[in-house]
């Protein structure tokens, strides 16, 4: 959660992945998808310190392997190329060779070191990367008309209905540091990353190990706390690039203003994560689950995830049915140490359960609250000091519609 | 899975919970639900050796505690009383007192020892048990007109659309032993038990500890392998009563024909579990996931559960979309040791993935296969000798409809 120093962080009105200095981005239709943009890129004027986190799915897609291996070499990325429509997952040796080829072609086109190129794909599993079309996309990287953050943000989408972007600014050591980001994700969204891609940029100079640790910590409190449908994809990736264009003293964990940088990073990640949850396939509402009073951090997170992942809770919110029994039930099966006689539940400000017993509340008021576009479910376990927040969306007819006919 | 000796087991054409000798059952409308039957009972002529397994949900409902405590005393149950409409869960001390009262009233009415009565409830969470109506229900236990297995099987239903019952016969020591059962469950169905009640009866004499262990083993391969929506309820219970009316030599683990009895028990449990999965809320199809070649039993079970629980797999089956990528994806996030390069997947007899790579298959044929009412997804991990089967259903518009308006 973003803490009290938030005031010192300025959220840009129109923030993008290109808001930090020295980043450009673009996108085109290269022909993988029927008519929508399907190939995009981010480019930094100079190689940027880079860190990544990747899906834990055993069928990790080829581009993730290529990107991971490249970052491991020099911890630097200058160009990121992304296609949508085809995930290049479950494609074997050919898929790996194709991802390498995509990387090499982009490096040649942009005149950067091949290991400074990250590649990323999202879309159908098990379909070979159409290399001719990828080639067409890469050709467009020399065309100034294709450059815009919006083009990039559109090019990475699949079943998403809106682009997802954000940027914030903070003062560090007298320099204005900007953190920006763009993300995609709508289905196959689940804690531990899912068909979710997120690219975060900053013009701060940041030491690599601190950046990698920060990415892990921030991801655990943002992207790993969202769920749309409980399915964890083969391609999830969050990349962060820090190009140091503001010439600040290199930031690391020991820097006195590190917490402020972390907060800016968290704010962008959390913002993008919530945009993904709100744009969940078929969703009409954003659901936020706050768990308080847990005996451990794991318990707080697991209880929040159990509730946000419950199909019964999600359908109850869709139908604006204040059926708190389903919330309590999900708390109970979270497999965490819970004292049922201490648990309290509120729908926003409406208390519905206290110390494990139902309260008399106004059902109409409860129903009205659940008709809001953002719904908060608060669970207090009264068993310790730990808290966690998870985000998700309601489960609707349209979720079924979208997923019963994704390909056909 | 039921093995090759199945031939020696005779499945009764019209099998019920009362098919074994010495069991009667009944049900009435006592007024908890609007018009449907909502109070039922099973009665054995003599106290039966009893064993139970219960939900792992931390909010275990009051009747489960009462039943568990009673069985622990003498390991005997003669009468089971069940109401639907109200779960008597999250009802605190009053709920526990109400469950005890329901037990006491039933014992008095039937003239049996109070500790020989099991109580069970299913329905809304957090609503007090309407004791006057329960009393009305118990009064009906003296009315011969209310007795029939069908009445009982109807009285325990909630969102179920059909009753679920089955019975089989085997010869053991020259005696005909019958195992029968009735179950309910449609939503909140998930491995580890969910709003699922199942009552299994047999006229065999069975030693208690062997019966308890058998129940646990059989449940793990039947009721704990079904999922409708991943929600594990507060009330799940499987009870087995063995009244010994066939005067067989008491069966235990050392009896040479114990495996045959186990098989009959498994067959009834698996049959009821599949009936529950097929009647999942809004379901149009039964999905069976067979996992073969796993390196451990846990891996086999977890992979099967990951696939059967995937909303994306469930919607793909609903839409008859042979999108095997979603199956592979779920295998990948099952958090089990898997070698992606060995995994094969078939839709029924249609091979779609071999050694981690897509096969060229006829998409139309795949689509046609998925239009069957029973769909089999076969996953071979080629990594060991272990197998597991899980059952579930497709995710449809009607699931959302039912659950967005359960109470209102």
């Amino acid at each position: 959660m973003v803490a009290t120093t938030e005031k010192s962080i300025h959220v840009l009105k129109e923030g993008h992945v290109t808001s930090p200095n020295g980043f450009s981005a673009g996108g085109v239709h290269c022909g993988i998808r029927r008519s929508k943009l399907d190939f995009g890129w981010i480019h930094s004027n100079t190689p940027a310190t880079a860190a990544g986190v990747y899906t834990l799915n055993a069928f990790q897609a080829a581009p993730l392997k290529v990107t991971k291996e490249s970052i491991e070499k020099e911890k630097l990325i200058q160009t990121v190329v992304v296609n949508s429509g085809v995930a290049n997952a479950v494609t074997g040796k050919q898929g790996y060779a194709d991802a390498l080829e995509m990387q090499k072609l982009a490096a040649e086109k942009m005149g950067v070191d091949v290991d400074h190129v990250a590649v990323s794909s999202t879309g159908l599993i098990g379909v070979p990367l159409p290399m001719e079309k990828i080639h067409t996309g890469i050709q467009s990287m020399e065309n100034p008309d294709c450059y815009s953050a919006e083009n990039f943000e559109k090019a990475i989408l699949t079943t998403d209905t809106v682009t997802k972007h954000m940027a914030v600014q903070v003062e560090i050591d007298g320099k204005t540091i900007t953190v920006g980001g763009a993300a995609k994700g709508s289905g196959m969204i689940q804690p531990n990353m899912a068909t979710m891609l997120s690219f975060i940029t900053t013009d701060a100079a940041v030491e690599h190990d601190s950046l990698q640790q920060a990415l892990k910590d921030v991801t655990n409190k943002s992207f790993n706390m969202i769920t749309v449908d409980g399915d964890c994809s083969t391609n999830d990736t969050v990349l962060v690039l820090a190009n140091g264009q503001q010439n600040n003293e290199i930031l690391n964990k020991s820097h006195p203003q590190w917490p402020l940088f972390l907060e800016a990073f968290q704010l962008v990640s959390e913002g993008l994560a919530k945009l993904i949850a709100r744009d969940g396939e078929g969703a009409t509402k954003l659901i936020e689950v706050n768990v308080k009073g847990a005996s451990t951090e794991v318990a707080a997170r697991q209880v929040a995830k159990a509730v946000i992942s419950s199909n019964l809770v999600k359908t109850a919110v869709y139908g604006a049915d204040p059926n708190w029994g389903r919330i309590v039930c999900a708390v109970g099966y979270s497999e965490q140490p819970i004292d049922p006689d201490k648990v309290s539940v509120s729908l926003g400000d409406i208390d519905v359960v206290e110390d494990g017993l139902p309260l008399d509340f106004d059902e109409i008021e409860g129903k009205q609250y659940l008709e809001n576009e953002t719904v908060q479910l608060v669970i207090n376990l009264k068993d310790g000091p730990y808290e966690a927040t998870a985000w998700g969306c309601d489960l609707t007819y349209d979720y079924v519609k979208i997923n019963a006919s994704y390909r056909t």
Side-chain angles (χ1 to χ4, degrees), chain A:
Chain A
M1 295 295 293
V2 175
T4 45
T5 47
E6 203 176 317
K7 304 170 210 81
S8 56
I9 300 178
H10 171 58
V11 180
L12 298 187
K13 222 172 178 176
E14 266 296 304
H16 289 280
V17 71
T18 52
S19 297
N21 259 329
F23 286 98
S24 56
V28 288
H29 173 68
C30 76
I32 305 174
R33 306 188 70 195
R34 213 165 298 159
S35 60
K36 290 184 177 168
L37 301 199
D38 50 15
F39 185 87
W41 60 89
I42 303 171
H43 184 69
S44 169
N45 292 346
T46 52
T49 301
V53 287
Y54 311 92
T55 183
L56 299 177
N57 195 303
F59 289 88
Q60 203 175 62
L64 280 69
K65 290 177 198 163
V66 168
T67 296
K68 203 174 168 184
E69 285 160 9
S70 295
I71 291 181
E72 272 164 12
K73 286 184 193 157
E74 299 182 34
K75 330 287 189 202
L76 293 172
I77 290 295
Q78 188 165 3
T79 305
V80 182
V81 283
V82 191
N83 74 276
S84 59
V86 165
N88 195 11
V90 196
T91 45
K93 284 176 193 160
Q94 187 58 48
Y96 184 73
D98 288 345
L100 281 176
E101 176 75 3
M102 176 170 168
Q103 180 188 41
K104 184 173 143 266
L105 291 171
E108 285 168 5
K109 174 58 63 188
M110 301 303 281
V112 306
D113 188 305
V114 69
D115 282 325
H116 294 175
V117 175
V119 289
S120 188
S121 299
T122 177
L124 279 172
I125 293 174
V127 177
L129 206 55
M131 290 311 292
E132 267 189 47
K133 292 170 183 171
I134 294 293
H135 204 265
T136 306
I138 287 169
Q139 288 308 320
S140 309
M141 293 172 79
E142 65 184 26
N143 182 354
D145 294 347
C146 298
Y147 276 73
S148 84
E150 288 86 351
N151 277 4
F152 172 75
E153 287 152 4
K154 281 181 191 163
I156 63 177
L157 304 183
T158 53
T159 53
D160 306 59
T161 66
V162 295
T163 59
K164 296 158 186 83
H165 52 89
M166 182 171 176
V168 302
Q169 284 181 334
V170 284
E171 290 289 317
I172 291 182
D173 284 346
K175 313 271 187 186
T176 299
I177 297 297
T178 306
V179 180
K184 67 82 49 176
S186 184
M188 265 203 199
I189 298 295
Q190 157 77 345
N192 287 326
M193 324 268 302
T195 300
M196 192 211 64
L197 301 178
S198 183
F199 305 97
I200 295 168
T201 51
T202 177
D203 44 20
V206 187
E207 182 259 330
H208 174 265
D209 289 357
S210 295
L211 188 66
Q212 179 69 51
Q213 186 60 47
L215 176 60
K216 209 183 144 195
D217 294 345
V218 161
T219 299
N220 275 339
K221 291 182 187 171
S222 56
F223 300 111
N224 281 350
M225 290 306 283
I226 57 175
T227 186
V228 168
D229 53 18
D231 279 279
C232 171
S233 110
T234 50
N235 288 53
D236 303 330
T237 305
V238 184
L239 287 183
V240 55
L241 309 187
N243 70 2
Q245 299 268 309
Q246 292 307 83
N247 296 311
N248 60 302
E249 193 194 323
I250 294 182
L251 287 170
N252 64 24
K253 284 178 214 169
S254 322
H255 191 286
Q257 284 183 283
W258 181 251
L260 185 60
F261 174 73
L262 263 191
E263 221 174 275
F265 192 178
Q266 171 71 29
L267 197 60
V268 170
S269 301
E270 191 179 305
L272 293 174
K274 285 159 81 169
L275 286 170
I276 291 173
R278 187 184 287 276
D279 194 29
E281 286 173 344
T284 68
K285 294 168 193 174
L286 175 71
I287 308 176
E288 180 172 310
V289 176
N290 301 126
V291 173
K292 298 172 179 176
S295 58
T296 65
E297 194 169 336
V298 169
R301 291 161 58 80
Q302 288 306 109
V303 170
K305 284 183 182 180
V307 175
I308 203 71
S309 304
S310 160
N311 277 355
L312 288 172
V313 171
K314 289 151 66 77
T315 45
V317 170
Y318 173 53
D321 178 0
N323 190 343
W324 55 264
R326 294 178 181 181
I327 300 170
V328 164
C329 183
V331 172
Y333 66 66
S334 62
E335 297 181 5
Q336 296 304 311
I338 278 152
D339 181 347
D341 297 333
K342 285 186 184 169
V343 174
S344 296
V345 177
S346 310
L347 313 175
D349 292 332
I350 308 167
D351 298 332
V352 294
V353 173
E354 195 175 299
D355 296 333
L357 284 175
L359 293 172
D360 219 8
F361 71 99
D362 185 341
E363 290 246 348
I364 303 293
E365 208 188 323
K367 193 170 175 56
Q368 277 164 354
Y369 175 72
L370 294 179
E371 277 161 3
N372 287 311
E373 272 192 22
T374 298
V375 164
Q376 206 178 22
L377 312 178
V378 184
I379 295 136
N380 195 336
L381 304 174
K382 293 187 195 149
D383 207 24
Y386 292 94
E387 302 193 2
T389 301
W391 297 275
C393 58
D394 51 346
L395 175 60
T396 70
Y397 296 107
D398 279 354
Y399 176 83
V400 177
K401 186 173 175 184
I402 291 164
N403 284 301
S405 58
Y406 174 43
R407 305 186 321 158
T408 46

